[in-house]
């Protein structure tokens, strides 16, 4: 081989390697199973991770630390018998791995990681993960930094060993599709308990990788997708928060409805845990089971995070700071903003002012029931000099 030819080959090889590095996001070609809200587009977020790098358990690599902290989002060490450790997460074989081992006679040592960036609706978050062959929980979830709102993307206990209590097999064949709303003081936790929160389609989840995704469309609407197929929809205030836990004024006060639903930005958390309600039933791994490290390592091949953005307002930070739902709207429209606004003016497509509403809070509800169906332009006035626009579709009653 001449020197030039060799150089060419090396150049070609480097080029191919570079292509593999930059274009190799694992989810390329896998369609997002749901459309964003009307007139919006999915935008991939920086918290997405294909874990196609390596990181030791300690110290973590810079690629890992760019996106994740290797602990829970506060100092809590985990539920029940769980003790989380920063050294119980690593990236190997292009996969995030969270092992669980015996810490002492009572406790289990395992890991938890939290995204650096929060996500807020409208958003689609999906993981490609292998549920552990364990009674422990394999978890991917969203949680507001103040621990009051939670969306579970994947919660599963993959062990289907029939020599345990028969209930073990029942749980092992299911994926828990749930969300929580909490009051912290005094502590109260609500989650739906309808049968459809325990998804079953005959799959033995521990046997392979599957895709688990949630479309968080707005504070009152969640769609759960498994392997790209809609598995459950949770929609409406009574399904999201029947006990008024998200009341802004007096949480839990059912006589004064100021509920917001799931309206807070959330951290992404990936972890393994031993849950008290399960270990209380004897559903906690034995020493022999824990000694099988492959069974007791939660593996996540990738996570992708999309936020729905309005392509017409991508340059306008003010418009980006407004969230409106539902869109299309039937009667009342909820408008949430990061800062106080003065008013919203509603124009039809001929530029005729239909209605003007003063906005007094950062969360406002306006009545649009009298509008004819069609597309409207909303002009938001922030102060005397700053205004910006968004679109809304009105549906017929
Ligand atoms: Ca990967």
């Amino acid at each position: 081989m001449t020197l030039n030819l060799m150089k060419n080959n090396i150049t070609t090889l480097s080029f191919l390697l570079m292509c593999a590095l930059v274009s190799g996001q694992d989810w390329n070609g896998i369609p997002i199973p749901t459309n964003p809200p009307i007139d919006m587009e999915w935008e991939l977020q920086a918290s997405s991770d294909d874990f196609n790098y390596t990181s030791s358990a300690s110290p973590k690599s810079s690629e890992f630390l760019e996106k994740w902290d290797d602990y829970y989002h506060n100092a809590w060490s985990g539920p029940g018998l769980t003790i989380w450790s920063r050294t119980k997460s690593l990236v190997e074989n292009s996969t995030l791995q969270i092992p669980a081992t015996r810490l002492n006679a009572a406790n289990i040592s395992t890991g938890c990681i939290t995204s650096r960036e929060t996500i807020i609706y409208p958003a689609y978050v999906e993981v490609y993960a292998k549920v552990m062959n364990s009674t422990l929980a394999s978890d991917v979830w969203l949680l507001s930094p103040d621990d009051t709102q939670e969306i579970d993307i994947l919660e599963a206990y993959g062990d289907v060993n029939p020599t345990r209590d028969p209930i073990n097999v029942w749980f092992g064949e299911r994926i828990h599709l749930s969300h929580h709303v909490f009051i912290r003081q005094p502590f109260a936790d609500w989650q739906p308990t309808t049968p459809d929160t325990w998804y079953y389609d005959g799959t033995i989840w521990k046997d392979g990788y599957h895709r688990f995704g949630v479309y968080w469309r707005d504070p009152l609407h969640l769609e759960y997708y498994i392997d790209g197929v809609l598995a459950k929809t949770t929609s409406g205030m009574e399904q999201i928060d029947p006990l008024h836990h998200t009341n802004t004024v007096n949480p839990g006060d059912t006589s004064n409805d100021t509920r917001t639903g799931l309206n807070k930005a959330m951290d992404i958390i990936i972890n393994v845990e031993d849950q008290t309600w399960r270990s209380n039933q004897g559903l906690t791994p034995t020493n022999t089971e824990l000694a099988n490290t492959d069974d007791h390592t939660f593996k996540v091949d990738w996570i992708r995070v999309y936020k729905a953005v309005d392509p017409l307002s991508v340059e306008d930070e003010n418009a980006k700071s407004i969230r409106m739902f539902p869109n299309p709207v039937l009667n009342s429209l909820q408008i949430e903003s990061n800062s106080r606004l003065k008013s919203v003016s509603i124009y039809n497509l001929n530029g005729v002012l239909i209605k003007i509403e003063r906005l007094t809070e950062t969360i406002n509800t306006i009545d649009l029931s009298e509008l004819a169906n069609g597309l409207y332009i909303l002009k938001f006035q922030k102060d005397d000099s700053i205004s910006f626009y968004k679109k809304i579709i009105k549906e017929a009653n």
Side-chain angles (χ1 to χ4, degrees), residues 43-56:
E43 182 186 82
L44 189 68
Q45 301 298 294
S47 42
S48 304
D49 200 340
D50 57 16
F51 300 110
N52 290 349
Y53 52 86
T54 56
S55 175
S56 60

Side-chain angles (χ1 to χ4, degrees), residues 81-132:
L81 305 179
T82 314
I83 305 286
W84 284 320
S85 161
R86 289 187 183 275
T87 63
K88 285 295 172 69
S89 50
L90 65 152
V91 182
E92 202 175 84
N93 300 327
S94 306
T95 305
L96 169 71
Q97 311 209 0
I98 301 181
T101 58
R102 172 64 62 201
L103 180 64
N104 55 41
N107 297 111
I108 283 171
S109 171
T110 187
C112 180
I113 71 169
T114 305
S115 62
R116 299 271 181 213
E117 288 192 7
T118 58
I119 184 75
I120 192 160
Y121 71 89
Y124 182 74
V125 183
E126 185 175 62
V127 291
Y128 186 54
K130 189 177 181 191
V131 172
M132 292 181 298

